[in-house]
Each structure stands twice: as C-alpha cells, then as structure tokens.
Amino acid sequence: MPTTAKKNDLLEYKGHPLMRKENIIYYGSMSDSHIIMMQILDAGEVKGLPVAKRVSVQLQQTNPNVRMKERIVKKTEKDSLWAAMDIASIWLGRALNSK
C-alpha cells in the first residue's frame, strides 16, 4: 500500500532542508545559527533542459538582530549548481558544528 506524503515534508540534502523561491535556493533551517543562500545568476539549456551556469553562494547568520550586510559570513560564485551545493554543504556543516 503506498504511503501518503505529509504536507510539511521538505526536500532535504544531507539532512538539511532545501527550499526554492524563483531563482533563490535556501539550504538549512532558520532555527539554526546559519543558512546558505544560493542565487542562480545565469542559466542555459543542455539537451532542452534548463541548467544553472553561474550560482552565487552565501553562508549567512540567521540572527535577526544583525544587519543584513553583516549577516554574510562567506560568499563565493560557482559555475554549476552541483559545485554550489558541494561547497554549501561543507560550509553549513562547519558553521553548525563549530558551536
């Protein structure tokens, strides 16, 4: 018998939630000390499918009392979503384990 999905099920990558809004992907939970924000800056097509070609990655603090510019801990730009997710998982893991 198939199981039904819960309404609050989120897509996860390496144990952290992934949420997308238009060209921005958030990786991590706002209840944690840090999250990753990835913005797709440029996209193209490969065999008729859309593919990210340039992605901005930012490790950000989630503290609402810190100004937005000061929330950014690290940032970089990658040439694919795969490379962006790779560095994002490393940065988020290190930030959350350094408590």
Side-chain angles (χ1 to χ4, degrees):
M1 181 183 301
T3 60
T4 57
K6 298 176 188 174
K7 281 187 177 182
N8 293 332
D9 279 350
L10 295 175
L11 182 62
E12 288 189 356
Y13 180 69
K14 295 189 178 183
H16 299 286
L18 275 170
M19 295 186 345
R20 178 180 175 215
K21 181 174 181 175
E22 298 174 3
N23 66 333
I24 297 178
I25 301 168
Y26 294 97
Y27 178 49
S29 174
M30 287 302 287
S31 63
D32 290 334
S33 62
H34 293 79
I35 62 163
I36 296 285
M37 184 188 81
M38 293 176 277
Q39 183 175 13
I40 299 170
L41 302 172
D42 188 26
E45 284 194 12
V46 174
K47 296 184 181 181
L49 297 172
V51 176
K53 288 189 174 182
R54 202 168 53 117
V55 181
S56 168
V57 183
Q58 294 181 355
L59 173 66
Q60 298 180 352
Q61 297 179 44
T62 57
N63 185 345
N65 299 325
V66 177
R67 290 187 9 209
M68 193 56 175
K69 285 186 178 182
E70 296 171 356
R71 286 184 194 180
I72 300 170
V73 178
K74 292 182 181 183
K75 61 183 177 179
T76 189
E77 205 170 283
K78 297 295 178 184
D79 60 358
S80 70
L81 186 57
W82 176 257
M85 286 301 301
D86 193 28
I87 194 70
S89 67
I90 293 168
W91 283 358
L92 188 61
R94 287 179 182 170
L96 297 178
N97 290 328
S98 68
K99 294 178 183 178

